[in-house]
Amino acid sequence: MYTVADDSLDITLAGPHFGSQSELVKYSLQDRKHPTVLIAGGSGINFVLDVLQYPVSTKVVVLFATRDAKFFAWVQKALLAVLSTRGKEQVDLLR
């Protein structure tokens, strides 16, 4: 378990949709000071795959969960294909 001072933790959580939240994610991907963590479950990975097409200037961590092993394998391949255009030091795909 991690402990973080209350005033230093800044989290924005939004559903898998485009709109004003998408602009916040784009901005976050350009923030060189703080990593961006993208969390998706099931079909929410579509939003993450789209977001990873944007220019990235920060470290990105992708957390994805699904109950379907075949879908998980497909998502892994899709993410690796998208990430192949990025530096390995920029994006973590947690397995």
Side-chain angles (χ1 to χ4, degrees), residues 62-92:
V62 176
L63 301 173
F64 173 69
T66 182
R67 295 182 201 182
D68 186 331
K70 288 181 181 178
F71 182 53
F72 187 85
W74 179 88
V75 167
Q76 264 188 313
K77 287 180 185 177
L79 281 171
L80 290 173
V82 169
L83 300 180
S84 68
T85 63
R86 307 266 183 228
K88 292 188 186 234
E89 69 286 348
Q90 266 188 311
V91 182
D92 284 339

Side-chain angles (χ1 to χ4, degrees), residues 11-81:
I11 297 175
T12 301
L13 182 63
H17 50 77
F18 285 95
S20 62
Q21 296 299 323
S22 299
E23 294 303 314
L24 290 174
V25 172
K26 285 184 197 178
Y27 176 77
S28 175
L29 293 173
Q30 296 301 311
D31 182 354
R32 294 177 187 265
K33 296 179 186 175
H34 302 96
T36 298
V37 179
L38 300 171
I39 303 170
S43 64
I45 196 65
N46 293 324
F47 179 78
V48 172
L49 289 170
D50 285 342
V51 161
L52 291 176
Q53 311 281 328
Y54 300 141
V56 176
S57 298
T58 189
K59 177 88 169 183
V60 178
V61 177
V62 176
L63 301 173
F64 173 69
T66 182
R67 295 182 201 182
D68 186 331
K70 288 181 181 178
F71 182 53
F72 187 85
W74 179 88
V75 167
Q76 264 188 313
K77 287 180 185 177
L79 281 171
L80 290 173

